[in-house]
Amino acid sequence: MTPLIDHAYLSEQTFGDVDLARELLGLFAGQCRRLMPGIADADLDPDRRADLAHTLKGSALGIGAAPVADLATSIEDRLRGGRDVPAETVARLDEAVTATLAEIDALG
């Protein structure tokens, strides 16, 4: 099973700086909270939703949150391809984000 956050990758990206890693995780958490409502809003313009998913994907990749990145990529690709996003895909992203945020919160 893929970890929610690849802590070894995050440590590499932050050169082992624990404070920097915490700061990045905090920024990621804030972005999740800002971006998810728009990504989940089926009435929002598809291009805007795709842009939000793209931003979330980039943030997730930056901290090693592969499950979030993979699901955001799937949503972005579907929207950019002019296809609907199944509600279950958005729900899976929401679950992955919620679990990842819980892990971040547990780190203190």
Side-chain angles (χ1 to χ4, degrees):
M1 179 175 186
T2 303
L4 294 170
I5 299 171
D6 182 339
H7 292 279
Y9 175 81
L10 179 59
S11 182
E12 284 179 26
Q13 297 305 303
T14 59
F15 303 101
D17 185 329
V18 175
D19 291 333
L20 179 57
R22 282 191 181 125
E23 183 177 349
L24 289 177
L25 290 171
L27 291 170
F28 174 74
Q31 278 199 314
C32 286
R33 291 180 182 106
R34 282 190 306 278
L35 298 172
M36 279 305 299
I39 293 169
D41 184 354
D43 293 329
L44 191 63
D45 175 71
D47 289 333
R48 179 70 181 132
R49 287 178 74 200
D51 289 345
L52 296 172
H54 178 81
T55 300
L56 181 59
K57 171 184 72 176
S59 295
L61 289 172
I63 66 158
V68 171
D70 292 346
L71 289 162
T73 298
S74 174
I75 290 170
E76 178 188 10
D77 290 349
R78 289 188 69 82
L79 291 166
R80 297 228 191 267
R83 297 182 311 245
D84 289 334
V85 177
E88 68 185 40
T89 303
V90 174
R92 287 178 45 224
L93 175 61
D94 187 59
E95 290 169 7
V97 165
T98 299
T100 303
L101 293 179
E103 182 171 320
I104 291 169
D105 289 343
L107 295 172

